[in-house]
Amino acid sequence: MSVPPLHAGNIWHDRGWRPASQAPGIVDGRFARSTAADTPGRFIVPGMPNLHSHAFQRAMAGLAEQRGPGDDSFWTWRETMYAFAAALEPDDVRVIATQLYIEMLKAGYTHVCEFHYLHHAPNGARYANPAAMSLALIEAAKDAGIGLTLLPVLYMTGGFDGRPLGERQRRFHHDVGQYVALLEQLKPLENPMLNIGIALHSLRAVPPEAMRAVLATSVARDMPVHIHIAEQIGEVQDCLAIRGTTPVAWLLDNAQVDERWTLVHATHLTGHETQRLAKSGAVAGLCPTTEANLGDGLFPLADYLDAGGCLGIGSDSHISVSPVEELRWLEYGQRLATRHRNISARKAGDSVGATLWQASLAGGARASGLALGAITDGARADLLVLDDASPLLVAREGTDVMDSFLFAGNTPLVRDVMVAGQWRVRDFSHPREAESAADYRRVVERLASL
Amino acid sequence: MSVPPLHAGNIWHDRGWRPASQAPGIVDGRFARSTAADTPGRFIVPGMPNLHSHAFQRAMAGLAEQRGPGDDSFWTWRETMYAFAAALEPDDVRVIATQLYIEMLKAGYTHVCEFHYLHHAPNGARYANPAAMSLALIEAAKDAGIGLTLLPVLYMTGGFDGRPLGERQRRFHHDVGQYVALLEQLKPLENPMLNIGIALHSLRAVPPEAMRAVLATSVARDMPVHIHIAEQIGEVQDCLAIRGTTPVAWLLDNAQVDERWTLVHATHLTGHETQRLAKSGAVAGLCPTTEANLGDGLFPLADYLDAGGCLGIGSDSHISVSPVEELRWLEYGQRLATRHRNISARKAGDSVGATLWQASLAGGARASGLALGAITDGARADLLVLDDASPLLVAREGTDVMDSFLFAGNTPLVRDVMVAGQWRVRDFSHPREAESAADYRRVVERLASL
């Protein structure tokens, strides 16, 4: 199937705008030089992959901003999150995820990597179909029309000492055999809009031998591998105490960390780890709004970029769902810490907006394990049309458009969104948003009444 | 004039929601217990005063995010800003400010304190009417329907050493006599929607004797006094070198700093200064998005709140125009620096959202010099109706509403806005927004073509 000619004003490619005459066409949901599609609007940019999501957390956005009896931290937040998750069943997760994924599309995300650990029933029992929760997420992505890399999470232990999971974590547990069986059940469902990958929850939750066993299976071969790492100082200290080294150093020493890997957060790095991670080809999965909300800390961005490191962004806990806010505050956090400006642009004349959008496309695509994130032949046809009628874009040309897109104002500039050659959002509106919002209201009101 | 009964679901007052039965009415643009007005919506909150604005900078949002030849900082940004300002005439400023003020209203700001230093013609000559630029700003606020505290700026010298202004700063200059004459010309225009105040640009721009002379005039009596202070380390160091003390200590020692005063930024404070400023009753005028964009640094928020300090927020350079983003990142900046959560809520059970909104209302009102910022008898009738149909507010009650308003999502939740008893925004729309956007486009395209 092909769609009509792409008569675009300007198409963002790598570090600049290409004129309409060089616009590619779209065949079977991929960009191809042979045809062209009808796309109104002066500025068209590749859609952003969201490399880290825990969809169910969307429904608790705003519910953890009240002071507890002591010092609040990541760890007290986690208790709130476990309590919230306790009642969720697959249909609840499907409804919440559908709402979230529609919000993602409207914000400019065209693909999501779902780091999915809520596998079993509230009492810890397996569902009749052990993939029930995974299938709910796949259905949500399909209903919303967003691309999905589903990453079922292996979560076995409650700490580096190998202690068993607590009662509220029992819904997350698989042994290696059960986990590989889940991957094998899901793998045949793959299609251009769905990739299956591996998620190791963290080094504290996956013993070394289990990590090696999973990675050695045939189903795991070529799958993307994601892991939470070095988000909190406490995790780094525990790893040092028990394994004699930091989590990132341990992983780099004990796994073949390469372009297949996404290290989520990687907040607390030594200078040497920053260099090694950059050279490995792995993606640093940065989630600036969640990392700020949880008080994690700041990633060593300038050193990592100077070393050629690859990065992408995720909305993670979904207190925010916007690539603009993620990238704006990724940069601003660095400015506050260094008291200098324009940190992500490492060379004179570089635009911060263009640099960050481009870097996150590349890292997000690598994390997804699919050919997407660029308007080039063969890539999945994911794109955004910016609202060139907005006062924020008046008289903006060249990279100033990307800077104004990311650094000016607070009204969304993503007007239309295409995924795999299909329009999902037109004129700021998604065809299923009213229906989804009604379903979401029903589910969240029920959860609140429990 | 009175308006119909206020049948509101819930009205935010101090730290909680009041039921409709306690809703005040509105008489002559002020809240009054005697009547009630028809206000649809479950959640009504006082409108936010914006305590710091340089309106013309709105048109350069996004134009300073490109790496220069060396290290970029506040000081390199200032050169970009001066170049942008060079061509602006009063009608340009009026058009840009009208657009900005409409955007402010839609974002939830119902009053703005305009720190206005662009007084004269591009070549430094006085306009035929020396208040021409001030009058342009007054007209813009009136056209948009936002309340205004106009703060003409006294700007005399280029540094603590008393050096004269540079060529690009000559449009800012008054001597004391000219400045007092401007205040006297503007003072008779005051009305419930317009207050006139004093702005001292900074200690480096206003010699001590000039500060004392202005404050001793009769026109200055009871006016609010605003000053930029301790935004940059360089300013603190220059003050130490020439006056032997830091700017905030110098000001507290040499002026009667009390509730009339707003110290804008006050970023770099010693522990002792933090205590003294808090005890003075002055407002700390925080501008978190601009302070992040410019790489200024972080205000000592927890210590200041513990000492009972008063604060408000400003959108300053207008790279962002949203009280939500200001307050969200005021809190998040503290979390990133401390690696703890819920910093602004100082007591167990306090909501961060409610605490920050309430604190900023109080400080913004104090900075404006008017009775506003609360839904209480006698206050100007400024209010916001939140969009209770939004998925972000489903099943939210009590202070969770305020937390979700400030900390969840990226779509605006301000549906309707009233200022002085008049609806300015209904259903997310301002009646003059299309006209204003067209005027704005014309002006900015002309400026870009110069």
Side-chain angles (χ1 to χ4, degrees):
Chain A
M1 188 198 88
S2 68
V3 293
L6 189 72
H7 293 305
N10 294 278
I11 296 182
W12 185 258
H13 182 72
D14 199 1
R15 306 217 155 205
W17 298 103
R18 281 187 178 173
S21 58
Q22 296 177 31
I26 296 166
V27 178
D28 291 338
R30 295 185 186 278
F31 294 113
R33 201 162 298 277
S34 53
T35 61
D38 179 30
T39 308
R42 286 178 65 215
F43 303 115
I44 297 169
V45 300
M48 182 60 68
N50 184 340
L51 62 58
H52 195 62
S53 166
H54 306 289
F56 75 89
Q57 293 179 16
R58 164 63 183 81
M60 61 173 284
L63 289 183
E65 313 302 320
Q66 184 170 323
R67 184 90 177 184
D71 268 353
D72 289 338
S73 69
F74 171 87
W75 307 103
T76 55
W77 170 85
R78 196 177 71 157
E79 289 306 308
T80 306
M81 183 269 285
Y82 284 171
F84 176 80
L88 296 171
E89 296 279 7
D91 199 59
D92 302 324
V93 169
R94 179 187 62 76
V95 167
I96 294 168
T98 303
Q99 173 66 24
L100 171 69
Y101 294 161
I102 289 172
E103 291 171 357
M104 282 187 191
L105 285 164
K106 292 176 72 174
Y109 290 120
T110 46
H111 191 88
V112 57
C113 301
E114 182 65 36
F115 197 104
H116 160 54
Y117 55 81
L118 201 64
H119 298 294
H120 312 306
N123 65 2
R126 273 55 185 158
Y127 289 110
N129 182 341
M133 280 286 198
S134 292
L135 296 173
L137 289 161
I138 291 170
E139 191 174 342
K142 194 173 172 189
D143 283 355
I146 197 169
L148 174 67
T149 294
L150 183 67
L151 304 156
V153 173
L154 180 60
Y155 201 133
M156 299 174 70
T157 55
F160 285 98
D161 56 5
R163 83 190 81 141
L165 297 182
E167 192 183 339
R168 284 175 152 173
Q169 299 168 315
R170 62 192 175 178
R171 304 181 67 183
F172 315 157
H173 184 269
H174 287 107
D175 63 27
V176 169
Q178 293 164 331
Y179 181 71
V180 172
L182 178 62
L183 296 180
E184 286 170 341
Q185 181 180 350
L186 294 170
K187 179 81 179 165
L189 304 179
E190 287 186 343
N191 66 61
M193 290 285 281
L194 174 65
N195 199 21
I196 306 295
I198 292 165
L200 310 172
H201 178 273
S202 56
L203 292 184
R204 68 177 188 271
V206 179
E209 60 278 15
M211 177 184 87
R212 291 191 193 98
V214 167
L215 294 175
T217 61
S218 62
V219 70
R221 187 178 308 136
D222 302 328
M223 278 187 174
V225 185
H226 290 225
I227 186 169
H228 285 141
I229 203 156
E231 179 176 9
Q232 285 286 320
I233 296 279
E235 175 200 340
V236 175
Q237 289 170 336
D238 287 354
C239 188
L240 268 167
I242 293 187
R243 296 198 189 166
T245 185
T246 58
V248 170
W250 188 91
L251 187 71
L252 291 167
D253 289 340
N254 287 276
Q256 283 191 294
V257 174
D258 59 15
E259 298 191 1
R260 279 173 70 198
W261 285 73
T262 296
L263 276 62
V264 180
H265 306 306
T267 307
H268 300 290
L269 299 180
T270 65
H272 185 55
E273 285 172 341
T274 304
Q275 299 295 318
R276 288 185 69 191
L277 180 58
K279 303 285 184 267
S280 74
V283 182
L286 308 180
C287 308
T289 64
T290 295
E291 290 156 8
N293 183 284
L294 298 182
D296 291 341
L298 293 170
F299 179 79
L301 183 65
D303 288 348
Y304 186 71
L305 289 173
D306 285 344
C310 181
L311 63 84
I313 51 166
S315 59
D316 192 353
S317 70
H318 314 302
I319 36 89
S320 294
V321 183
S322 160
V324 170
E325 190 171 11
E326 298 301 339
L327 293 174
R328 181 183 293 186
W329 286 94
L330 174 60
E331 167 71 20
Y332 282 178
Q334 304 292 322
R335 295 188 192 185
L336 285 167
T338 62
R339 297 187 190 140
H340 283 275
R341 301 186 73 250
N342 302 341
I343 306 299
S344 306
R346 306 303 299 156
K347 294 200 314 293
D350 278 359
S351 135
V352 179
T355 300
L356 284 176
W357 193 263
Q358 197 60 37
S360 308
L361 289 172
R366 192 174 289 183
S368 78
L370 293 173
L372 44 77
I375 301 180
T376 50
D377 286 6
R380 200 174 70 197
D382 299 353
L383 58 81
L384 319 178
V385 184
L386 302 187
D387 176 27
D388 53 41
S390 167
L392 293 166
L393 292 182
V394 171
R396 298 294 185 261
E397 301 288 344
T399 55
D400 287 344
V401 175
M402 299 304 285
D403 287 334
S404 292
F405 175 33
L406 295 190
F407 290 98
N410 310 84
T411 47
L413 290 180
V414 176
R415 191 188 70 194
D416 309 293
V417 180
M418 175 184 281
V419 184
Q422 307 270 337
W423 290 112
R424 311 296 178 165
V425 174
R426 292 312 294 262
D427 200 19
F428 304 100
S429 179
H430 186 287
R432 301 201 54 180
E433 67 186 71
E435 178 192 351
S436 169
D439 290 347
Y440 179 79
R441 176 173 295 275
R442 175 179 51 73
V443 163
V444 176
E445 286 181 343
R446 186 183 67 75
L447 291 169
S449 71
L450 295 179
Chain B
M1 189 199 89
S2 68
V3 293
L6 188 73
H7 294 304
N10 295 277
I11 295 183
W12 184 258
H13 183 69
D14 199 2
R15 303 215 157 206
W17 298 102
R18 282 185 176 174
S21 57
Q22 295 176 30
I26 297 166
V27 179
D28 291 340
R30 295 185 185 281
F31 294 114
R33 200 161 300 277
S34 52
T35 61
D38 179 30
T39 308
R42 286 178 66 215
F43 302 116
I44 296 169
V45 299
M48 182 60 68
N50 184 340
L51 61 59
H52 195 62
S53 165
H54 306 288
F56 75 88
Q57 294 178 18
R58 164 63 183 82
M60 59 172 284
L63 289 184
E65 314 301 321
Q66 184 169 322
R67 184 88 174 182
D71 268 354
D72 289 338
S73 69
F74 171 87
W75 307 103
T76 55
W77 170 85
R78 196 176 70 157
E79 289 306 307
T80 306
M81 183 269 286
Y82 285 169
F84 176 79
L88 296 171
E89 296 279 6
D91 200 60
D92 302 324
V93 169
R94 180 187 62 76
V95 166
I96 293 168
T98 303
Q99 173 66 24
L100 171 69
Y101 294 161
I102 289 172
E103 291 171 0
M104 283 187 189
L105 285 164
K106 293 177 72 175
Y109 290 120
T110 47
H111 191 87
V112 57
C113 300
E114 182 65 36
F115 197 104
H116 159 53
Y117 55 81
L118 201 64
H119 299 295
H120 312 306
N123 65 2
R126 273 56 187 157
Y127 288 110
N129 182 341
M133 280 286 198
S134 292
L135 296 173
L137 289 162
I138 291 170
E139 191 174 342
K142 195 173 171 189
D143 284 356
I146 196 168
L148 174 67
T149 294
L150 182 68
L151 303 155
V153 173
L154 180 60
Y155 200 132
M156 298 174 70
T157 56
F160 285 98
D161 56 5
R163 83 189 82 139
L165 298 182
E167 191 183 340
R168 284 174 154 175
Q169 299 167 314
R170 63 192 175 177
R171 304 181 65 182
F172 315 158
H173 185 268
H174 287 107
D175 62 28
V176 169
Q178 293 164 332
Y179 181 70
V180 172
L182 178 61
L183 295 180
E184 286 171 341
Q185 182 180 350
L186 295 170
K187 178 81 180 164
L189 303 179
E190 287 187 344
N191 65 61
M193 290 284 281
L194 174 64
N195 198 23
I196 305 295
I198 291 164
L200 310 171
H201 179 273
S202 56
L203 292 183
R204 69 177 186 273
V206 179
E209 60 278 15
M211 178 185 86
R212 291 192 192 100
V214 167
L215 293 175
T217 60
S218 62
V219 71
R221 187 178 307 136
D222 303 329
M223 277 185 173
V225 185
H226 290 225
I227 185 169
H228 285 141
I229 202 157
E231 179 176 8
Q232 284 286 320
I233 296 278
E235 176 200 339
V236 176
Q237 289 170 336
D238 287 354
C239 188
L240 267 168
I242 293 188
R243 297 197 188 168
T245 185
T246 57
V248 171
W250 188 92
L251 189 70
L252 291 167
D253 289 340
N254 288 274
Q256 282 192 293
V257 174
D258 59 15
E259 298 191 1
R260 280 173 70 199
W261 285 73
T262 296
L263 275 61
V264 179
H265 305 305
T267 308
H268 301 289
L269 299 180
T270 65
H272 185 55
E273 285 172 341
T274 305
Q275 299 295 317
R276 288 184 71 191
L277 181 58
K279 301 287 185 267
S280 73
V283 182
L286 308 180
C287 308
T289 63
T290 295
E291 290 155 8
N293 183 284
L294 297 182
D296 291 340
L298 292 170
F299 179 79
L301 183 65
D303 288 348
Y304 186 72
L305 290 173
D306 285 345
C310 181
L311 63 83
I313 52 166
S315 60
D316 192 352
S317 69
H318 314 302
I319 36 88
S320 294
V321 182
S322 159
V324 170
E325 190 172 11
E326 298 300 341
L327 293 174
R328 180 182 293 184
W329 286 94
L330 174 59
E331 167 70 19
Y332 282 178
Q334 304 292 320
R335 296 187 192 185
L336 285 168
T338 63
R339 297 188 189 138
H340 284 274
R341 302 186 72 251
N342 301 343
I343 305 299
S344 305
R346 306 302 300 156
K347 294 199 315 293
D350 278 359
S351 134
V352 179
T355 300
L356 285 176
W357 193 262
Q358 197 60 38
S360 307
L361 289 173
R366 191 174 290 182
S368 77
L370 294 173
L372 46 77
I375 300 179
T376 51
D377 288 4
R380 201 175 70 196
D382 299 353
L383 59 79
L384 319 178
V385 184
L386 302 187
D387 177 26
D388 54 40
S390 167
L392 293 166
L393 292 182
V394 171
R396 298 293 185 263
E397 301 288 344
T399 55
D400 286 346
V401 175
M402 298 304 285
D403 287 334
S404 291
F405 175 32
L406 295 190
F407 290 98
N410 310 84
T411 47
L413 290 180
V414 175
R415 192 189 69 195
D416 309 294
V417 180
M418 176 183 282
V419 184
Q422 307 270 338
W423 290 113
R424 311 295 179 165
V425 174
R426 292 311 296 262
D427 200 19
F428 304 99
S429 179
H430 186 288
R432 301 200 54 179
E433 67 186 71
E435 178 191 351
S436 169
D439 289 346
Y440 180 79
R441 176 174 295 276
R442 176 179 51 75
V443 164
V444 176
E445 286 180 344
R446 187 185 65 76
L447 291 169
S449 72
L450 294 179

